[in-house]
């Protein structure tokens, strides 16, 4: 049976992991490769590395880092952050990334999804969507939630799929960082409407939240950052608990 | 020396990285002499079947692959190319395995079949030390049918060949190079055959 995936997300700045990490045995918590290996050993099903460097130098460091990650990590990994052209995507593929995520650049230039998908395959392109609810309508935001666009969640997700997206990574900006859980009804509607997998992101504070989005929310995977980084919910514990609830996970 | 067949497809790097982690010596090559004289041969790849077959033909590799007597492992599109034919692009394939490659016929499940799924009914030394029901990583929309050469089965709507063996030829529809310690173990088994 296909397992629901648990995906830790690591923010990278100038080649180093950003958030404080609560792994006791790990000496160099700033090293994204060491941390990724640790997560893989803990049972993470995939990893997402997001480059939040602002500088050109930082971007170059990130590409070098992707090569090191590919050489050392034995599970699939996705990279994202600032991918604005097919050339950016191609460089990361060559460096060894299994998938890339596109977000703001795809909203501004939807052809980017089609181009990456037709050149490298749908399995390589994950479309990340950030949205917030305004007067009952889920509106797409870009640039980390700072800019509100006219696009609406469901029509944009459908367009992304039609253009060749392999997966949708949806974050509710109303829930992200709150640790109050996910908007499960929205996820369920999204997942049932689409024929590609949906990854839930932003809002998890408890095991039950994750269980809910994987069952009621019909999500195929759950992505989180701080609950894993700070050791609030260790991945082995999370998977054992999900297994007890009869949610299929890889143990 | 392990020859990783280079036919201008993606994913060669991932397989090479996995061999590197196991400490194996390998060469990514399209040279027929190097492929023939290698101890082991890997046929990896991602992509579309008829295009991939065309690339193998252009490089004169189809006959070379058929004539190999050392252990050969096809991964993902690689196992599909070793089958008789594929629905994808109506490709006539290499024909080592008698299986056909078919698209998933399911309206209720998501396509591609992507993520971790379990392997069952394990046979062959390729799976020595691997538990029934172990999880491996998949990304595909087409899969080989099940027949007498099937050495592992996965079910996604329907049962398909997770792995196939005929004589010295092996193939896995999943990606051992991305399947954590289980995948490493399977690759290690292949290197020890």
């Amino acid at each position: 049976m296909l397992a629901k995936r648990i995906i830790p997300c690591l923010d990278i700045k100038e080649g180093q992991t950003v958030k404080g990490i609560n792994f006791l045995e790990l000496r160099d918590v700033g090293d994204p490769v060491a941390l990724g290996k640790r997560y893989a050993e803990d049972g993470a099903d995939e990893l997402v590395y997001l480059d939040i460097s602002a500088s050109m130098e930082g971007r170059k460091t990130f590409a070098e880092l992707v090569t090191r990650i590919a050489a050392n990590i034995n599970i699939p990994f996705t990279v994202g952050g600032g991918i604005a052209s097919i050339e950016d995507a191609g460089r990361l593929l060559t460096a060894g990334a299994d998938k890339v995520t596109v977000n703001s650049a795809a909203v501004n230039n939807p052809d980017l999804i089609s181009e990456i998908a037709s050149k490298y395959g749908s399995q390589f392109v994950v479309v990340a969507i950030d949205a917030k609810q305004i007067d009952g309508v889920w509106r797409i935001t870009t640039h980390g939630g700072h800019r509100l666009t006219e696009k609406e969640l469901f029509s944009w997700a459908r367009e992304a799929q039609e253009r060749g997206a392999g997966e949708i990574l949806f974050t509710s900006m109303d829930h992200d960082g709150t640790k109050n859980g996910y908007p499960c009804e929205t996820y369920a509607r999204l997942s049932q409407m689409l024929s590609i997998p949906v990854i839930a992101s932003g809002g998890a504070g408890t095991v039950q939240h994750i269980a809910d989005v994987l069952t009621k929310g019909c999500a195929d995977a759950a992505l989180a950052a701080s609950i894993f980084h700070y050791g609030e919910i260790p991945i082995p514990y999370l998977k054992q608990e999900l297994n007890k609830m009869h949610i299929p996970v890889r143990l | 020396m392990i020859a990783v067949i280079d036919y201008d497809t993606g994913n060669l790097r991932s397989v090479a990285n996995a061999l590197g982690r196991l400490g194996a010596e390998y060469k990514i090559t399209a040279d027929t002499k190097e492929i023939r004289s290698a101890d082991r041969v890997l046929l990896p790849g991602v992509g579309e079947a008829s295009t991939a077959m065309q690339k193998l033909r252009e490089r004169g590799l189809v006959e070379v692959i058929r004539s190999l007597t050392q252990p050969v492992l096809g991964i993902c599109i690689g196992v599909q190319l070793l089958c008789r034919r594929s629905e994808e692009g109506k490709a006539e394939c290499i024909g080592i395995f008698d299986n056909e490659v078919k698209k998933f016929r399911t309206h209720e499940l998501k396509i591609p079949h992507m993520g971790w799924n379990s392997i069952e009914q394990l046979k062959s030394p390729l799976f020595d030390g691997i538990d029934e029901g172990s999880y491996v990583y998949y990304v595909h929309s087409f899969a080989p049918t099940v027949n007498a050469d099937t050495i592992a089965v996965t079910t996604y709507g329907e049962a398909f060949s997770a792995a196939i063996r005929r004589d010295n030829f092996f193939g896995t529809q999943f990606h051992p190079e991305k399947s954590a310690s289980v995948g490493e173990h399977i690759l290690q088994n292949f290197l020890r055959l």
Side-chain angles (χ1 to χ4, degrees), chain A residues 1-3 45-46 70-71 73-76 98-99 123 167 191 195-197 220 249-250, chain B residues 13-14 17 21 110-111 113-118 135 137 139 156 177-181 184:
Chain A
M1 191 169 193
L2 188 65
D45 295 307
E46 289 183 36
I73 303 286
N74 62 9
I75 57 172
D98 294 290
K99 310 175 196 179
Q123 85 293 335
E167 289 175 276
S191 185
S195 61
I196 55 177
D220 298 279
V249 287
R250 178 179 68 104
Chain B
R13 191 76 254 153
S14 301
N17 279 333
R21 286 194 292 274
K110 297 191 173 184
I111 306 291
H113 172 224
M114 180 193 297
W116 298 81
N117 206 332
S118 51
Y135 277 92
Y137 188 77
V139 184
Y156 188 61
E177 77 280 12
K178 290 286 165 187
S179 296
S181 55
E184 279 173 359

mmCIF file of all heavy atoms in Angstrom, chain A residues 1-3 45-46 70-71 73-76 98-99 123 167 191 195-197 220 249-250, chain B residues 13-14 17 21 110-111 113-118 135 137 139 156 177-181 184:
data_model
loop_
_atom_site.group_PDB
_atom_site.id
_atom_site.type_symbol
_atom_site.label_atom_id
_atom_site.label_comp_id
_atom_site.label_asym_id
_atom_site.label_seq_id
_atom_site.Cartn_x
_atom_site.Cartn_y
_atom_site.Cartn_z
ATOM 1 N N MET A 1 0.842 -1.197 0.000
ATOM 2 C CA MET A 1 0.000 0.000 0.000
ATOM 3 C C MET A 1 0.879 1.250 0.000
ATOM 4 O O MET A 1 1.896 1.294 0.673
ATOM 5 C CB MET A 1 -0.867 -0.017 1.256
ATOM 6 C CG MET A 1 -1.948 1.026 1.225
ATOM 7 S SD MET A 1 -3.102 0.745 2.567
ATOM 8 C CE MET A 1 -4.434 1.810 2.073
ATOM 9 N N LEU A 2 0.486 2.211 -0.810
ATOM 10 C CA LEU A 2 1.266 3.443 -0.901
ATOM 11 C C LEU A 2 1.240 4.172 0.450
ATOM 12 O O LEU A 2 0.166 4.388 1.016
ATOM 13 C CB LEU A 2 0.682 4.346 -1.995
ATOM 14 C CG LEU A 2 1.495 5.578 -2.351
ATOM 15 C CD1 LEU A 2 2.842 5.199 -2.961
ATOM 16 C CD2 LEU A 2 0.726 6.479 -3.310
ATOM 17 N N ALA A 3 2.419 4.514 0.948
ATOM 18 C CA ALA A 3 2.509 5.146 2.266
ATOM 19 C C ALA A 3 2.297 6.655 2.166
ATOM 20 O O ALA A 3 2.632 7.273 1.161
ATOM 21 C CB ALA A 3 3.885 4.857 2.866
ATOM 22 N N ASP A 45 10.662 10.525 4.711
ATOM 23 C CA ASP A 45 10.431 9.878 3.411
ATOM 24 C C ASP A 45 11.029 10.671 2.263
ATOM 25 O O ASP A 45 11.336 10.121 1.218
ATOM 26 C CB ASP A 45 8.931 9.698 3.199
ATOM 27 C CG ASP A 45 8.359 8.739 4.223
ATOM 28 O OD1 ASP A 45 8.889 7.625 4.348
ATOM 29 O OD2 ASP A 45 7.406 9.119 4.929
ATOM 30 N N GLU A 46 11.153 11.953 2.462
ATOM 31 C CA GLU A 46 11.787 12.841 1.486
ATOM 32 C C GLU A 46 12.294 14.024 2.284
ATOM 33 O O GLU A 46 11.910 14.218 3.437
ATOM 34 C CB GLU A 46 10.768 13.381 0.467
ATOM 35 C CG GLU A 46 10.263 12.376 -0.519
ATOM 36 C CD GLU A 46 9.309 12.995 -1.544
ATOM 37 O OE1 GLU A 46 9.511 14.156 -1.960
ATOM 38 O OE2 GLU A 46 8.365 12.309 -1.900
ATOM 39 N N ALA A 70 23.156 15.340 -2.862
ATOM 40 C CA ALA A 70 22.884 14.213 -3.775
ATOM 41 C C ALA A 70 23.880 13.077 -3.561
ATOM 42 O O ALA A 70 23.521 11.907 -3.660
ATOM 43 C CB ALA A 70 22.927 14.690 -5.217
ATOM 44 N N ALA A 71 25.116 13.440 -3.251
ATOM 45 C CA ALA A 71 26.136 12.402 -3.063
ATOM 46 C C ALA A 71 25.940 11.646 -1.755
ATOM 47 O O ALA A 71 26.348 10.498 -1.633
ATOM 48 C CB ALA A 71 27.527 13.028 -3.119
ATOM 49 N N ILE A 73 22.830 11.624 0.440
ATOM 50 C CA ILE A 73 21.505 11.297 0.977
ATOM 51 C C ILE A 73 20.886 10.172 0.154
ATOM 52 O O ILE A 73 20.918 10.212 -1.063
ATOM 53 C CB ILE A 73 20.591 12.551 0.920
ATOM 54 C CG1 ILE A 73 21.224 13.709 1.690
ATOM 55 C CG2 ILE A 73 19.195 12.241 1.424
ATOM 56 C CD1 ILE A 73 21.198 13.607 3.175
ATOM 57 N N ASN A 74 20.299 9.162 0.838
ATOM 58 C CA ASN A 74 19.780 8.003 0.110
ATOM 59 C C ASN A 74 18.261 7.981 0.000
ATOM 60 O O ASN A 74 17.658 6.935 -0.198
ATOM 61 C CB ASN A 74 20.317 6.701 0.727
ATOM 62 C CG ASN A 74 19.889 6.516 2.168
ATOM 63 O OD1 ASN A 74 19.051 7.257 2.683
ATOM 64 N ND2 ASN A 74 20.438 5.520 2.822
ATOM 65 N N ILE A 75 17.628 9.151 0.135
ATOM 66 C CA ILE A 75 16.183 9.263 -0.109
ATOM 67 C C ILE A 75 15.969 10.447 -1.066
ATOM 68 O O ILE A 75 16.888 11.259 -1.251
ATOM 69 C CB ILE A 75 15.381 9.476 1.203
ATOM 70 C CG1 ILE A 75 15.867 10.722 1.948
ATOM 71 C CG2 ILE A 75 15.446 8.240 2.085
ATOM 72 C CD1 ILE A 75 15.004 11.110 3.139
ATOM 73 N N PRO A 76 14.800 10.545 -1.678
ATOM 74 C CA PRO A 76 14.580 11.642 -2.628
ATOM 75 C C PRO A 76 14.602 13.009 -1.936
ATOM 76 O O PRO A 76 14.201 13.120 -0.775
ATOM 77 C CB PRO A 76 13.179 11.369 -3.175
ATOM 78 C CG PRO A 76 12.895 9.949 -2.838
ATOM 79 C CD PRO A 76 13.642 9.659 -1.576
ATOM 80 N N ASP A 98 16.149 15.640 -7.057
ATOM 81 C CA ASP A 98 15.114 14.787 -7.631
ATOM 82 C C ASP A 98 13.932 15.592 -8.129
ATOM 83 O O ASP A 98 13.236 15.190 -9.045
ATOM 84 C CB ASP A 98 14.633 13.782 -6.578
ATOM 85 C CG ASP A 98 15.741 12.820 -6.201
ATOM 86 O OD1 ASP A 98 16.092 11.987 -7.042
ATOM 87 O OD2 ASP A 98 16.280 12.943 -5.086
ATOM 88 N N LYS A 99 13.673 16.718 -7.454
ATOM 89 C CA LYS A 99 12.548 17.567 -7.837
ATOM 90 C C LYS A 99 12.912 19.012 -7.517
ATOM 91 O O LYS A 99 13.761 19.259 -6.653
ATOM 92 C CB LYS A 99 11.282 17.232 -7.020
ATOM 93 C CG LYS A 99 10.907 15.781 -6.970
ATOM 94 C CD LYS A 99 9.714 15.556 -6.036
ATOM 95 C CE LYS A 99 9.584 14.087 -5.687
ATOM 96 N NZ LYS A 99 8.469 13.802 -4.781
ATOM 97 N N GLN A 123 7.426 14.592 -13.006
ATOM 98 C CA GLN A 123 7.885 14.140 -11.679
ATOM 99 C C GLN A 123 8.912 15.086 -11.083
ATOM 100 O O GLN A 123 9.173 15.060 -9.886
ATOM 101 C CB GLN A 123 8.464 12.723 -11.765
ATOM 102 C CG GLN A 123 9.932 12.580 -12.161
ATOM 103 C CD GLN A 123 10.243 12.991 -13.598
ATOM 104 O OE1 GLN A 123 9.383 12.957 -14.460
ATOM 105 N NE2 GLN A 123 11.454 13.432 -13.839
ATOM 106 N N GLU A 167 3.273 17.525 -8.566
ATOM 107 C CA GLU A 167 2.688 17.561 -7.218
ATOM 108 C C GLU A 167 2.335 19.003 -6.874
ATOM 109 O O GLU A 167 2.921 19.927 -7.438
ATOM 110 C CB GLU A 167 3.701 17.070 -6.163
ATOM 111 C CG GLU A 167 3.987 15.594 -6.219
ATOM 112 C CD GLU A 167 5.097 15.213 -5.230
ATOM 113 O OE1 GLU A 167 6.276 15.349 -5.599
ATOM 114 O OE2 GLU A 167 4.781 14.792 -4.125
ATOM 115 N N SER A 191 -7.427 17.943 -3.004
ATOM 116 C CA SER A 191 -6.934 16.602 -3.307
ATOM 117 C C SER A 191 -7.919 15.823 -4.182
ATOM 118 O O SER A 191 -7.516 15.108 -5.091
ATOM 119 C CB SER A 191 -6.664 15.850 -2.003
ATOM 120 O OG SER A 191 -6.079 14.611 -2.280
ATOM 121 N N SER A 195 -5.604 15.167 -9.860
ATOM 122 C CA SER A 195 -5.179 13.774 -10.048
ATOM 123 C C SER A 195 -3.710 13.595 -9.667
ATOM 124 O O SER A 195 -3.143 12.532 -9.836
ATOM 125 C CB SER A 195 -5.401 13.359 -11.499
ATOM 126 O OG SER A 195 -4.632 14.176 -12.349
ATOM 127 N N ILE A 196 -3.068 14.660 -9.176
ATOM 128 C CA ILE A 196 -1.674 14.575 -8.736
ATOM 129 C C ILE A 196 -1.625 14.700 -7.204
ATOM 130 O O ILE A 196 -2.566 15.215 -6.597
ATOM 131 C CB ILE A 196 -0.798 15.671 -9.403
ATOM 132 C CG1 ILE A 196 -1.375 17.070 -9.157
ATOM 133 C CG2 ILE A 196 -0.651 15.407 -10.904
ATOM 134 C CD1 ILE A 196 -0.527 18.203 -9.721
ATOM 135 N N PRO A 197 -0.528 14.231 -6.583
ATOM 136 C CA PRO A 197 -0.464 14.274 -5.120
ATOM 137 C C PRO A 197 -0.448 15.697 -4.553
ATOM 138 O O PRO A 197 0.048 16.620 -5.193
ATOM 139 C CB PRO A 197 0.867 13.572 -4.813
ATOM 140 C CG PRO A 197 1.187 12.762 -6.021
ATOM 141 C CD PRO A 197 0.617 13.524 -7.181
ATOM 142 N N ASP A 220 -1.551 13.604 0.545
ATOM 143 C CA ASP A 220 -0.680 12.460 0.295
ATOM 144 C C ASP A 220 0.586 12.521 1.138
ATOM 145 O O ASP A 220 1.275 11.523 1.303
ATOM 146 C CB ASP A 220 -0.300 12.436 -1.191
ATOM 147 C CG ASP A 220 -1.532 12.260 -2.051
ATOM 148 O OD1 ASP A 220 -1.984 11.115 -2.183
ATOM 149 O OD2 ASP A 220 -2.072 13.269 -2.545
ATOM 150 N N VAL A 249 2.161 4.214 6.798
ATOM 151 C CA VAL A 249 3.430 4.928 6.779
ATOM 152 C C VAL A 249 4.558 3.904 6.652
ATOM 153 O O VAL A 249 4.394 2.742 7.002
ATOM 154 C CB VAL A 249 3.666 5.783 8.050
ATOM 155 C CG1 VAL A 249 2.784 7.022 8.058
ATOM 156 C CG2 VAL A 249 3.452 4.962 9.324
ATOM 157 N N ARG A 250 5.676 4.360 6.158
ATOM 158 C CA ARG A 250 6.859 3.497 6.046
ATOM 159 C C ARG A 250 7.573 3.493 7.383
ATOM 160 O O ARG A 250 8.024 4.529 7.860
ATOM 161 C CB ARG A 250 7.780 4.064 4.966
ATOM 162 C CG ARG A 250 9.075 3.292 4.777
ATOM 163 C CD ARG A 250 9.904 3.911 3.668
ATOM 164 N NE ARG A 250 10.408 5.215 4.017
ATOM 165 C CZ ARG A 250 11.666 5.467 4.373
ATOM 166 N NH1 ARG A 250 12.560 4.499 4.426
ATOM 167 N NH2 ARG A 250 12.052 6.698 4.675
ATOM 168 N N ARG B 13 23.214 10.209 -12.578
ATOM 169 C CA ARG B 13 23.967 10.742 -11.439
ATOM 170 C C ARG B 13 23.501 10.091 -10.130
ATOM 171 O O ARG B 13 24.306 9.758 -9.281
ATOM 172 C CB ARG B 13 23.739 12.264 -11.412
ATOM 173 C CG ARG B 13 24.600 13.053 -10.514
ATOM 174 C CD ARG B 13 26.000 13.242 -11.049
ATOM 175 N NE ARG B 13 26.913 12.396 -10.311
ATOM 176 C CZ ARG B 13 28.052 11.906 -10.787
ATOM 177 N NH1 ARG B 13 28.439 12.169 -12.010
ATOM 178 N NH2 ARG B 13 28.813 11.149 -10.052
ATOM 179 N N SER B 14 22.178 9.943 -9.971
ATOM 180 C CA SER B 14 21.642 9.372 -8.725
ATOM 181 C C SER B 14 22.164 7.957 -8.512
ATOM 182 O O SER B 14 22.546 7.586 -7.406
ATOM 183 C CB SER B 14 20.121 9.299 -8.763
ATOM 184 O OG SER B 14 19.587 10.554 -8.946
ATOM 185 N N ASN B 17 25.840 8.080 -7.715
ATOM 186 C CA ASN B 17 26.033 8.492 -6.321
ATOM 187 C C ASN B 17 25.804 7.328 -5.363
ATOM 188 O O ASN B 17 26.540 7.161 -4.389
ATOM 189 C CB ASN B 17 25.080 9.633 -5.959
ATOM 190 C CG ASN B 17 25.585 10.986 -6.430
ATOM 191 O OD1 ASN B 17 26.791 11.208 -6.568
ATOM 192 N ND2 ASN B 17 24.677 11.896 -6.695
ATOM 193 N N ARG B 21 28.365 5.629 -2.710
ATOM 194 C CA ARG B 21 28.139 5.457 -1.269
ATOM 195 C C ARG B 21 28.454 4.037 -0.829
ATOM 196 O O ARG B 21 28.806 3.798 0.318
ATOM 197 C CB ARG B 21 26.689 5.814 -0.904
ATOM 198 C CG ARG B 21 26.404 7.302 -0.916
ATOM 199 C CD ARG B 21 25.083 7.639 -0.224
ATOM 200 N NE ARG B 21 23.919 7.151 -0.939
ATOM 201 C CZ ARG B 21 23.302 7.802 -1.914
ATOM 202 N NH1 ARG B 21 23.726 8.978 -2.307
ATOM 203 N NH2 ARG B 21 22.241 7.285 -2.506
ATOM 204 N N LYS B 110 -4.007 8.179 -7.796
ATOM 205 C CA LYS B 110 -3.268 9.232 -8.476
ATOM 206 C C LYS B 110 -2.159 8.658 -9.348
ATOM 207 O O LYS B 110 -1.513 7.699 -8.984
ATOM 208 C CB LYS B 110 -2.712 10.199 -7.440
ATOM 209 C CG LYS B 110 -3.860 10.863 -6.694
ATOM 210 C CD LYS B 110 -3.462 12.006 -5.832
ATOM 211 C CE LYS B 110 -4.735 12.645 -5.307
ATOM 212 N NZ LYS B 110 -4.487 13.832 -4.525
ATOM 213 N N ILE B 111 -1.974 9.271 -10.503
ATOM 214 C CA ILE B 111 -0.937 8.872 -11.450
ATOM 215 C C ILE B 111 -0.063 10.104 -11.687
ATOM 216 O O ILE B 111 -0.619 11.168 -11.946
ATOM 217 C CB ILE B 111 -1.548 8.414 -12.800
ATOM 218 C CG1 ILE B 111 -2.593 7.325 -12.585
ATOM 219 C CG2 ILE B 111 -0.456 7.983 -13.768
ATOM 220 C CD1 ILE B 111 -2.039 6.006 -12.120
ATOM 221 N N HIS B 113 2.283 6.939 -9.991
ATOM 222 C CA HIS B 113 2.435 6.259 -8.712
ATOM 223 C C HIS B 113 3.737 6.787 -8.132
ATOM 224 O O HIS B 113 4.813 6.492 -8.652
ATOM 225 C CB HIS B 113 2.515 4.747 -8.990
ATOM 226 C CG HIS B 113 2.867 3.914 -7.798
ATOM 227 N ND1 HIS B 113 3.788 2.892 -7.867
ATOM 228 C CD2 HIS B 113 2.417 3.931 -6.527
ATOM 229 C CE1 HIS B 113 3.881 2.314 -6.673
ATOM 230 N NE2 HIS B 113 3.065 2.926 -5.855
ATOM 231 N N MET B 114 3.623 7.637 -7.130
ATOM 232 C CA MET B 114 4.811 8.298 -6.598
ATOM 233 C C MET B 114 4.888 8.140 -5.091
ATOM 234 O O MET B 114 3.911 8.398 -4.394
ATOM 235 C CB MET B 114 4.761 9.787 -6.935
ATOM 236 C CG MET B 114 5.968 10.515 -6.399
ATOM 237 S SD MET B 114 5.789 12.271 -6.453
ATOM 238 C CE MET B 114 5.667 12.556 -8.186
ATOM 239 N N GLY B 115 6.030 7.705 -4.631
ATOM 240 C CA GLY B 115 6.243 7.595 -3.194
ATOM 241 C C GLY B 115 6.674 6.193 -2.803
ATOM 242 O O GLY B 115 7.169 5.428 -3.630
ATOM 243 N N TRP B 116 6.449 5.872 -1.521
ATOM 244 C CA TRP B 116 6.941 4.611 -0.955
ATOM 245 C C TRP B 116 5.837 3.578 -0.946
ATOM 246 O O TRP B 116 4.780 3.807 -0.391
ATOM 247 C CB TRP B 116 7.461 4.851 0.465
ATOM 248 C CG TRP B 116 8.617 5.785 0.536
ATOM 249 C CD1 TRP B 116 8.559 7.151 0.511
ATOM 250 C CD2 TRP B 116 10.007 5.452 0.622
ATOM 251 N NE1 TRP B 116 9.832 7.677 0.575
ATOM 252 C CE2 TRP B 116 10.740 6.650 0.656
ATOM 253 C CE3 TRP B 116 10.708 4.239 0.681
ATOM 254 C CZ2 TRP B 116 12.130 6.687 0.738
ATOM 255 C CZ3 TRP B 116 12.092 4.275 0.777
ATOM 256 C CH2 TRP B 116 12.790 5.487 0.795
ATOM 257 N N ASN B 117 6.124 2.437 -1.546
ATOM 258 C CA ASN B 117 5.157 1.345 -1.532
ATOM 259 C C ASN B 117 5.888 0.060 -1.171
ATOM 260 O O ASN B 117 7.115 -0.001 -1.256
ATOM 261 C CB ASN B 117 4.440 1.248 -2.888
ATOM 262 C CG ASN B 117 3.067 0.614 -2.759
ATOM 263 O OD1 ASN B 117 2.820 -0.197 -1.867
ATOM 264 N ND2 ASN B 117 2.164 0.972 -3.662
ATOM 265 N N SER B 118 5.128 -0.958 -0.782
ATOM 266 C CA SER B 118 5.765 -2.171 -0.250
ATOM 267 C C SER B 118 5.959 -3.232 -1.334
ATOM 268 O O SER B 118 5.193 -3.292 -2.296
ATOM 269 C CB SER B 118 4.930 -2.727 0.905
ATOM 270 O OG SER B 118 3.590 -2.856 0.503
ATOM 271 N N TYR B 135 9.491 -1.230 2.306
ATOM 272 C CA TYR B 135 9.090 -0.100 1.454
ATOM 273 C C TYR B 135 10.230 0.349 0.549
ATOM 274 O O TYR B 135 11.380 0.424 0.984
ATOM 275 C CB TYR B 135 8.639 1.075 2.314
ATOM 276 C CG TYR B 135 7.206 0.956 2.771
ATOM 277 C CD1 TYR B 135 6.882 0.364 3.983
ATOM 278 C CD2 TYR B 135 6.170 1.430 1.961
ATOM 279 C CE1 TYR B 135 5.560 0.249 4.399
ATOM 280 C CE2 TYR B 135 4.850 1.326 2.371
ATOM 281 C CZ TYR B 135 4.549 0.738 3.581
ATOM 282 O OH TYR B 135 3.247 0.625 3.979
ATOM 283 N N TYR B 137 11.029 3.153 -3.039
ATOM 284 C CA TYR B 137 10.541 4.409 -3.620
ATOM 285 C C TYR B 137 10.248 4.277 -5.115
ATOM 286 O O TYR B 137 11.082 3.788 -5.877
ATOM 287 C CB TYR B 137 11.570 5.522 -3.411
ATOM 288 C CG TYR B 137 11.052 6.882 -3.821
ATOM 289 C CD1 TYR B 137 10.161 7.573 -3.002
ATOM 290 C CD2 TYR B 137 11.435 7.465 -5.023
ATOM 291 C CE1 TYR B 137 9.668 8.816 -3.369
ATOM 292 C CE2 TYR B 137 10.949 8.715 -5.393
ATOM 293 C CZ TYR B 137 10.063 9.386 -4.564
ATOM 294 O OH TYR B 137 9.577 10.610 -4.929
ATOM 295 N N VAL B 139 8.522 6.215 -8.744
ATOM 296 C CA VAL B 139 7.947 7.334 -9.512
ATOM 297 C C VAL B 139 7.724 6.814 -10.923
ATOM 298 O O VAL B 139 8.674 6.672 -11.690
ATOM 299 C CB VAL B 139 8.900 8.539 -9.630
ATOM 300 C CG1 VAL B 139 8.197 9.683 -10.347
ATOM 301 C CG2 VAL B 139 9.415 9.008 -8.302
ATOM 302 N N TYR B 156 -0.669 -1.421 -6.683
ATOM 303 C CA TYR B 156 -1.189 -0.049 -6.713
ATOM 304 C C TYR B 156 -2.424 -0.101 -7.607
ATOM 305 O O TYR B 156 -2.331 -0.042 -8.824
ATOM 306 C CB TYR B 156 -0.138 0.918 -7.283
ATOM 307 C CG TYR B 156 -0.537 2.374 -7.153
ATOM 308 C CD1 TYR B 156 -0.746 2.944 -5.898
ATOM 309 C CD2 TYR B 156 -0.713 3.185 -8.270
ATOM 310 C CE1 TYR B 156 -1.117 4.275 -5.766
ATOM 311 C CE2 TYR B 156 -1.067 4.520 -8.151
ATOM 312 C CZ TYR B 156 -1.278 5.047 -6.891
ATOM 313 O OH TYR B 156 -1.646 6.377 -6.757
ATOM 314 N N GLU B 177 18.264 3.254 -5.587
ATOM 315 C CA GLU B 177 19.208 4.344 -5.259
ATOM 316 C C GLU B 177 18.557 5.450 -4.432
ATOM 317 O O GLU B 177 19.251 6.316 -3.913
ATOM 318 C CB GLU B 177 19.834 4.897 -6.544
ATOM 319 C CG GLU B 177 18.959 5.822 -7.386
ATOM 320 C CD GLU B 177 17.938 5.108 -8.282
ATOM 321 O OE1 GLU B 177 17.727 3.893 -8.110
ATOM 322 O OE2 GLU B 177 17.345 5.784 -9.139
ATOM 323 N N LYS B 178 17.208 5.411 -4.322
ATOM 324 C CA LYS B 178 16.505 6.420 -3.517
ATOM 325 C C LYS B 178 15.713 5.779 -2.395
ATOM 326 O O LYS B 178 14.870 6.417 -1.782
ATOM 327 C CB LYS B 178 15.544 7.211 -4.429
ATOM 328 C CG LYS B 178 16.243 8.128 -5.410
ATOM 329 C CD LYS B 178 16.806 9.350 -4.700
ATOM 330 C CE LYS B 178 17.803 10.072 -5.573
ATOM 331 N NZ LYS B 178 18.466 11.161 -4.835
ATOM 332 N N SER B 179 15.938 4.476 -2.166
ATOM 333 C CA SER B 179 15.094 3.729 -1.224
ATOM 334 C C SER B 179 15.775 3.481 0.115
ATOM 335 O O SER B 179 15.652 2.389 0.695
ATOM 336 C CB SER B 179 14.643 2.410 -1.860
ATOM 337 O OG SER B 179 13.827 2.646 -2.972
ATOM 338 N N ALA B 180 16.508 4.476 0.602
ATOM 339 C CA ALA B 180 17.109 4.428 1.932
ATOM 340 C C ALA B 180 17.926 3.143 2.123
ATOM 341 O O ALA B 180 18.526 2.637 1.170
ATOM 342 C CB ALA B 180 16.035 4.606 3.010
ATOM 343 N N SER B 181 17.940 2.597 3.348
ATOM 344 C CA SER B 181 18.822 1.463 3.625
ATOM 345 C C SER B 181 18.356 0.190 2.905
ATOM 346 O O SER B 181 19.173 -0.644 2.526
ATOM 347 C CB SER B 181 18.930 1.225 5.132
ATOM 348 O OG SER B 181 17.652 1.059 5.673
ATOM 349 N N GLU B 184 19.819 0.356 -0.518
ATOM 350 C CA GLU B 184 21.273 0.113 -0.468
ATOM 351 C C GLU B 184 21.567 -1.375 -0.336
ATOM 352 O O GLU B 184 22.479 -1.904 -0.963
ATOM 353 C CB GLU B 184 21.900 0.894 0.695
ATOM 354 C CG GLU B 184 22.137 2.343 0.310
ATOM 355 C CD GLU B 184 22.590 3.225 1.469
ATOM 356 O OE1 GLU B 184 22.716 2.716 2.615
ATOM 357 O OE2 GLU B 184 22.790 4.420 1.213
#
